[in-house]
Amino acid sequence: MSKKLTTSVAIFILLVLIDQAIKYGFVFLNFGFESDCISLVLAYNYGVAFSMFEFLSEYLKFIQLALIACILIYLYFNKEVFLKYYIPISILMAGGLSNILDRFTYGAVVDYVYWHCGFDFAIFNFADVIIDFAIAIILYMQYKQYKEDKKRA
């Protein structure tokens, strides 16, 4: 358990630092890039995905912290879940908590990747990408487990 926990904490810290460094660059160092398909431009998201619930912007950071606390409590009482999924959980928590940190630091989530090739897509950031990546890993692990269970039955 301690090796997995140490690995989990290391992944978490590394990803939060990477995400926050990139966001710092956009906020304070004027990072940016324009092209025909993708632009890197600073934007603030006061809501959640696709700016939904923007009207709750003052409360979202606390709502999201409460959800993270619930997840941590669940994992504390279900250690086998953490032990099985510790890598994607670390990635997921890093992305989520980094975006919550933005809400406390900047008043909104810092987004900067704007896809506009053929169609306009929501603007997003590295934390959003790693959250999606973590969910994809969990889904893959679940599918793999399902196939193994089906083969045994």
Side-chain angles (χ1 to χ4, degrees), residues 3 10 12 15 18-19 21 28-29 46 63 68 85 94 108 117 120-121 123 128 130-131 135 137 139 141 143 145 147:
K3 184 175 181 184
F12 173 84
L15 291 175
I18 290 169
D19 185 56
F28 296 109
L29 304 176
Y46 296 92
I63 294 168
I68 295 289
Y85 298 103
C117 190
D120 283 342
F121 190 70
I123 192 163
D128 299 334
I130 63 175
I131 289 168
I135 292 169
I137 293 170
L139 290 173
M141 291 173 74
Y143 177 74
Q145 185 66 51
K147 286 297 210 180

Side-chain angles (χ1 to χ4, degrees), residues 11 15 87-92 95 125-141:
I11 290 169
L15 291 175
I87 291 177
I89 286 170
S90 304
I91 296 168
L92 182 67
N125 61 41
F126 178 70
D128 299 334
V129 172
I130 63 175
I131 289 168
D132 292 341
F133 181 63
I135 292 169
I137 293 170
I138 291 169
L139 290 173
Y140 173 75
M141 291 173 74

Side-chain angles (χ1 to χ4, degrees), residues 142-153:
Q142 284 285 297
Y143 177 74
K144 196 171 149 184
Q145 185 66 51
Y146 168 78
K147 286 297 210 180
E148 289 174 13
D149 291 348
K150 193 172 177 183
K151 195 181 288 187
R152 284 188 212 135

Side-chain angles (χ1 to χ4, degrees), residues 1 5 23 30 39 68 82 91 110 131:
M1 170 81 168
L5 185 58
K23 290 172 179 176
N30 297 318
S39 296
I68 295 289
F82 174 77
I91 296 168
V110 175
I131 289 168

